[in-house]
């Protein structure tokens, strides 16, 4: 849990972050969204004290960050930046082992941890451990960047536009991997992005910033349904709002009793995927299959559309 | 192997220089060491067979240069031509000097030097076309040095006028060689020790950057003679104030002002390259280093220096080559080095003595340039 209390940061006369109070819940992903110059990156960098607040307090799991030396604080917090920021002169293993080495782990322990992380990120240590960053693809570099941030097992991970340099297809895969990873490790993640789609896809919570101020902090569904200001509404885009709402919830939430023909829809699929599948097949209903393959009921176009409508 | 009839561009250059060489005297004959020399053509300077063989080797090399031939063939032809020239010039004195004449001096002339330039250009061009790696280039320099050492040791060149100058003062030659190298390397070491921290300071504190680089730029524009003049008074005063320094040889003239001057000239390239090198480190890598909890010192040692190293090494290369050449000036103020022979020779109008100082200086600077360029490339190679 990261508690940010009345934090302000001024650069000369300019106020980059203006009296922001927000709590990023523990074990969840909080997406910090805003246009460039909104103060979102400044706010993120104040959490690990790369930038010091002009006023206000920041506490991580109840500990005021000012009670630690900045470099000690940063070694406990994972940090991923856009364009990966890998050290070009160090091998993949050397990059991933950076923080453990700073913490004084012995070599066998570092080596074992690096191998474990590389396996976790689908990078065969035998093939990639000795490679230099410029010998990797963009997607591989990004994974090394995240692995490096997680090397010392931090409770908190800060990510600044982590997928900004990736092409769209690799980006989707990287986002899925991050979601799976977060579920597995339960890390508290704060992620800065300018892309509301990414925020809706990844965030358990979304904080929208503009001109240094926090405009709204809410779950994705709530933000879609009840944007706090016209600016938030504009950021979300009203055109395909119903579909985005459907994309947030699984089919399992709206299973109806009954029977239907044709291939089943997995219960874990999003409602958006179910609607797309039905629309493409020209069906009005489809059976829903639980992960073990048993049919648990049906999903109907009517049911889906009812769920896509604005709540009253 | 298809050989195009259109001539190779560098080959044309080589051929033009070689043609000029053929039209110039190959060697000079002097009745004694200070009179003006009389030119001797290639066929006058060597016995007919020897002259014909050398002419044939050079002609073949020029043909190889002109045609679009593969790199290894060009390199082999150029090295063969250079080797033939080196051996041939050693044979000239015996042919030209009358029996029993101990005063006559024989040395290479325009034709020889132009040929040397022509085929050195061809060899350098061939080594670039072959894309010789750093290690191969270092080995090549060592092989050439070994060849020259062999020719010197076997006495093949002993008849040449430069070597006669050497024969009379071999002790002085090695003493001044030691001083020359000590001056150049010592002032380089001092410039590294002072220049790199100054560069780091300029990088970390932008406010002082303009002032430091500005002062060093002005220093760089002071002519060396003026620099010595400016150093005489303060160094003499220092020596007078601290007798132990005077005992160490510090004074208004001698090695101390030469050392200080070389050091002062070396600072700008060292500091500037350190600043440029540090500025070229990717901002994302530095940000990541901070974000992961490196202290300022760890960041400098583990991230910034390794990434800036090729540029800093380029600065060291510039300074070393510059120092090896500039150290000659030390001869003017009693600082020793190869300059001693250059200025003695100028005073006596004995051009052979000037060459005794100049040739090793050029050879040292040239080898240092090739070796350090190779080192810079090797240090960059890993980052690619």
């Amino acid at each position: 849990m990261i508690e940010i209390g009345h934090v302000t940061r001024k650069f000369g006369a300019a106020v980059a972050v203006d009296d922001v109070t927000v709590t990023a819940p523990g074990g969840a992903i909080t997406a910090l969204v805003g246009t460039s110059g909104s103060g979102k990156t400044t706010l993120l960098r104040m959490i690990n004290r790369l930038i010091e607040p002009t006023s206000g307090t920041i506490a991580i799991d109840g500990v005021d960050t000012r009670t630690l030396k900045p470099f000690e604080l940063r070694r406990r917090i994972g940090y991923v930046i856009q364009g990966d920021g890998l050290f070009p002169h160090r091998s993949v293993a050397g990059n991933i082992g950076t923080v453990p080495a700073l913490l004084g782990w012995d070599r066998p322990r570092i080596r074992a941890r690096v191998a474990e992380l590389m396996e976790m990120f689908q990078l065969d240590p035998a093939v990639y451990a000795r490679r230099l960053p410029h010998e990797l693809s963009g997607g591989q570099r990004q994974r090394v960047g995240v692995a490096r941030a997680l090397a010392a097992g931090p409770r908190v991970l800060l990510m600044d536009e982590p997928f900004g340099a990736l092409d769209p297809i690799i980006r989707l895969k990287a986002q899925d991997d991050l979601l799976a990873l977060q579920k597995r490790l339960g890390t508290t993640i704060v992620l800065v992005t300018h892309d509301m789609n990414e925020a809706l896809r990844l965030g358990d919570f979304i904080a929208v910033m503009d001109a240094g101020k926090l405009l709204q902090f809410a779950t994705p569904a709530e933000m879609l349904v009840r944007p706090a200001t016209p600016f938030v509404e504009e950021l979300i885009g009203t055109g395909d709002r119903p579909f985005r709402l459907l994309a947030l919830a699984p089919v399992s939430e709206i299973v109806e009793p009954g029977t239907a023909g044709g291939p089943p829809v997995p219960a874990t699929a999003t409602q958006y995927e179910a609607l797309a599948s039905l629309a493409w097949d020209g069906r009005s209903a489809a059976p829903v299959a639980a992960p073990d393959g048993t049919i648990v009921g049906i999903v109907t176009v009517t049911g889906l559309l009812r769920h896509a409508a604005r709540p009253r | 192997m298809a050989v195009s009839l259109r001539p190779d561009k560098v080959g044309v250059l080589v051929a033009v220089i070689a043609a000029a060489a053929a039209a110039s005297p190959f060697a000079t004959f002097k009745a004694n060491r200070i009179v003006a020399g009389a030119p001797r053509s290639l066929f006058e300077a060597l016995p007919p067979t020897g002259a014909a063989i050398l002419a044939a080797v050079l002609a073949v090399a020029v043909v190889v240069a002109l045609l679009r031939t593969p790199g290894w063939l060009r390199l082999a032809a150029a090295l063969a031509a250079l080797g033939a020239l080196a051996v041939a010039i050693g044979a000239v004195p015996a042919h030209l000097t009358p029996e029993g004449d101990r005063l006559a001096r024989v040395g290479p002339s325009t034709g020889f030097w132009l040929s040397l330039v022509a085929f050195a250009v061809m060899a350098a061009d061939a080594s670039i076309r072959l894309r010789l790696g750093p290690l191969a280039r270092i080995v090549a320099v060592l092989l050439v040095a070994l060849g020259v050492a062999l020719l010197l040791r076997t006495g093949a060149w002993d008849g040449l006028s430069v070597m006669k100058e050497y024969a009379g003062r071999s002790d002085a030659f090695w003493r001044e060689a030691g001083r020359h190298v000590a001056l150049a390397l010592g002032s380089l070491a001092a410039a590294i020790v002072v220049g790199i921290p100054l560069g780091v300071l300029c990088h970390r504190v932008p406010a002082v950057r303009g002032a430091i680089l500005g002062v060093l730029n002005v220093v760089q524009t002071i002519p060396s003679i003026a620099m010595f003049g400016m150093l005489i008074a303060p160094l003499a005063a220092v020596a007078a104030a601290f007798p132990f320094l005077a005992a160490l040889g510090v004074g208004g003239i001698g090695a101390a002002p030469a050392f200080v001057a070389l050091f002062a000239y070396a600072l700008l390239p060292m500091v500037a390259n350190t600043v440029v090198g540090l500025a070229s480190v990717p901002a994302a890598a530095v940000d990541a280093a901070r974000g992961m909890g490196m202290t300022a010192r760890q960041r400098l040692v583990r991230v910034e220096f390794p990434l800036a190293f090729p540029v800093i090494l380029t600065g060291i290369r510039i300074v070393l080559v510059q120092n090896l050449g500039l150290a000659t000036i030390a001869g003017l103020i009693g600082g020793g080095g190869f300059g001693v022979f250059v200025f003695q020779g100028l005073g006596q109008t004995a051009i052979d003595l000037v060459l005794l100082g100049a040739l090793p200086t050029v050879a040292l600077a040239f080898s240092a340039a090739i070796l350090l360029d190779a080192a810079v490339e090797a240090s960059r190679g890993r980052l690619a």
Side-chain angles (χ1 to χ4, degrees):
Chain A
M1 182 168 70
I2 304 169
E3 293 160 285
I4 296 172
H6 297 288
V7 163
T8 294
R9 170 68 206 203
K10 296 176 184 168
F11 293 105
V15 183
V17 172
D18 188 359
D19 192 26
V20 168
T21 298
V22 65
T23 296
I29 300 182
T30 301
L32 212 48
V33 192
T35 52
S36 63
S38 61
K40 58 188 191 298
T41 295
T42 304
L43 185 62
L44 183 84
R45 290 164 71 89
M46 283 194 284
I47 297 174
N48 64 358
R49 292 181 65 188
L50 284 172
I51 297 174
E52 298 286 353
T54 306
S55 62
T57 58
I58 297 175
I60 297 175
D61 294 332
V63 179
D64 189 326
T65 54
R66 284 170 303 185
T67 59
L68 290 165
K69 289 204 178 98
F71 68 88
E72 284 172 350
L73 174 74
R74 291 178 202 140
R75 287 174 190 177
R76 299 184 185 190
I77 299 176
Y79 183 57
V80 180
I81 58 177
Q82 179 170 17
D84 64 58
L86 295 181
F87 303 133
H89 61 302
R90 287 215 187 155
S91 66
V92 167
N95 265 286
I96 296 177
T98 301
V99 179
L102 289 174
L103 291 172
W105 292 14
D106 56 43
R107 281 168 183 278
R109 188 172 166 209
I110 294 177
R111 208 173 304 131
R113 177 62 177 159
V114 168
E116 178 189 351
L117 280 159
M118 289 188 69
E119 301 278 4
M120 192 194 290
F121 284 87
Q122 297 130 47
L123 294 162
D124 182 357
V127 178
Y128 293 103
R130 303 252 61 86
R131 293 222 182 151
L132 289 172
H134 73 85
E135 297 168 315
L136 303 179
S137 72
Q140 288 169 335
R141 279 203 295 274
Q142 200 274 338
R143 277 181 274 159
V144 173
V146 180
R148 180 175 70 170
L150 293 174
R155 303 277 313 273
V156 172
L157 180 61
L158 306 180
M159 310 180 91
D160 189 357
E161 301 271 7
F163 309 115
L166 301 182
D167 63 59
I169 302 215
I170 297 176
R171 180 183 313 192
L172 281 180
K173 168 88 168 75
Q175 289 171 341
D176 283 340
D177 288 347
L178 180 70
L179 284 172
L181 188 82
Q182 196 277 336
K183 277 211 176 66
R184 194 164 133 198
L185 301 177
T187 313
T188 305
I189 297 179
V190 179
L191 178 144
V192 160
T193 176
H194 64 273
D195 178 0
M196 184 54 100
N197 284 326
E198 185 166 277
L200 289 168
R201 201 168 131 72
L202 296 178
D204 296 308
F205 300 92
I206 299 176
V208 178
M209 285 188 71
D210 185 45
K213 286 197 184 334
L214 179 70
L215 297 185
Q216 186 172 11
F217 177 83
T219 62
E222 194 182 335
M223 194 159 282
L224 277 170
V225 173
R226 276 181 285 276
T229 71
F231 179 80
V232 178
E233 190 163 6
E234 191 190 329
L235 214 53
I236 286 174
T238 50
D240 50 3
R241 192 153 50 174
F243 306 109
R244 294 187 166 194
L245 205 50
L246 289 178
L248 291 173
V251 169
S252 56
E253 285 182 8
I254 54 161
V255 175
E256 301 169 27
T259 54
V265 172
T268 51
T270 66
Q271 295 171 10
Y272 178 79
E273 288 162 344
L275 182 64
S277 166
L278 289 179
W280 188 249
D281 292 347
R283 293 187 281 172
S284 59
V288 174
D292 60 8
T294 56
I295 302 298
V296 292
I298 60 166
V299 60
T300 64
V301 170
T302 324
L304 285 164
L305 290 185
R306 191 162 52 237
H307 208 77
R310 172 200 332 212
R312 291 167 207 281
Chain B
M1 183 178 66
V3 176
S4 162
L5 284 181
R6 257 190 316 151
D8 182 271
K9 279 178 192 150
V10 175
V12 170
L13 178 68
V14 170
V16 167
I17 302 177
S24 313
F26 186 71
T28 330
F29 177 83
K30 294 189 284 190
N32 62 53
R33 75 188 277 256
I34 55 175
V35 297
R40 293 286 184 271
S41 74
L42 175 58
F43 280 87
E44 291 166 337
L46 286 169
T49 329
I53 292 175
L54 178 62
V57 170
L58 300 190
V60 169
V62 167
V63 171
V64 170
L66 275 173
L67 299 177
R68 310 204 145 199
T69 41
W72 60 267
L73 182 59
R74 305 178 77 83
L75 186 61
L79 290 179
L82 290 172
L85 278 167
V87 172
I89 197 67
V92 172
H95 183 66
L96 282 184
T97 313
E99 198 72 38
D101 186 340
R102 302 188 135 254
L103 291 175
R105 291 299 181 98
V106 174
S109 186
T110 329
F112 173 83
W113 294 120
L114 283 177
S115 308
L116 205 64
V117 169
F119 297 106
V121 166
M122 184 175 166
D125 173 62
S127 72
I128 291 168
R129 293 188 199 199
L130 284 172
R131 294 207 182 82
L132 287 187
L135 191 65
R137 295 202 315 257
I138 291 173
V139 169
V141 168
L142 293 180
L143 285 179
V144 170
L146 194 70
V148 170
L150 254 170
L151 283 168
L152 287 171
R153 188 139 295 258
T154 55
W157 286 344
D158 280 358
L160 292 172
S161 50
V162 174
M163 291 310 292
K164 290 200 167 161
E165 296 291 346
Y166 168 75
R169 33 173 91 68
S170 60
D171 287 350
F173 179 85
W174 291 110
R175 185 180 66 235
E176 299 307 342
R179 284 192 185 171
H180 194 97
V181 172
L183 257 182
L185 289 184
S187 55
L188 167 67
I192 291 173
V193 168
V194 175
I196 291 180
L198 265 184
V200 172
L201 182 72
C202 287
H203 178 69
R204 289 271 163 100
V205 190
V208 302
R209 189 181 307 161
I212 291 179
L213 290 178
V215 168
L216 293 180
N217 254 314
V218 170
V219 168
Q220 201 76 6
T221 63
I222 302 175
S224 44
I225 300 287
M227 176 83 85
F228 291 140
M230 282 163 50
L231 287 171
I232 289 175
L235 283 175
V238 166
F242 303 100
F244 74 96
L245 284 178
L248 284 173
V250 173
I253 58 167
F259 185 93
V260 173
L262 291 183
F263 166 76
Y265 288 133
L267 268 185
L268 178 67
M270 271 327 300
V271 174
N273 276 63
T274 305
V275 171
V276 171
L278 290 175
S280 70
V281 174
V286 177
D287 188 47
R290 280 188 74 207
M292 286 191 299
M294 287 194 194
T295 60
R297 176 191 295 267
Q298 287 167 336
R299 219 159 65 223
L300 193 65
V301 173
R302 299 185 187 201
V303 178
E304 292 180 302
F305 268 145
L307 289 172
F309 182 70
V311 182
I312 296 177
L313 192 59
T314 306
I316 292 176
R317 175 234 188 266
I318 293 170
V319 168
L320 181 57
V321 173
Q322 167 183 304
N323 274 6
L324 283 168
L326 264 181
T328 315
I329 305 290
L332 264 188
I333 50 159
F338 286 128
V340 169
F341 304 123
V342 174
F343 292 111
Q344 269 179 20
L346 286 174
Q348 304 172 5
T349 65
I351 202 68
D352 298 327
L353 187 52
V354 174
L355 285 179
L356 182 64
L359 289 178
T361 307
V362 171
L364 274 179
F366 198 68
S367 325
I370 295 177
L371 293 180
L372 278 170
D373 278 340
V376 168
E377 195 182 309
S379 71
R380 276 187 206 283
R382 203 171 139 66
L383 299 177

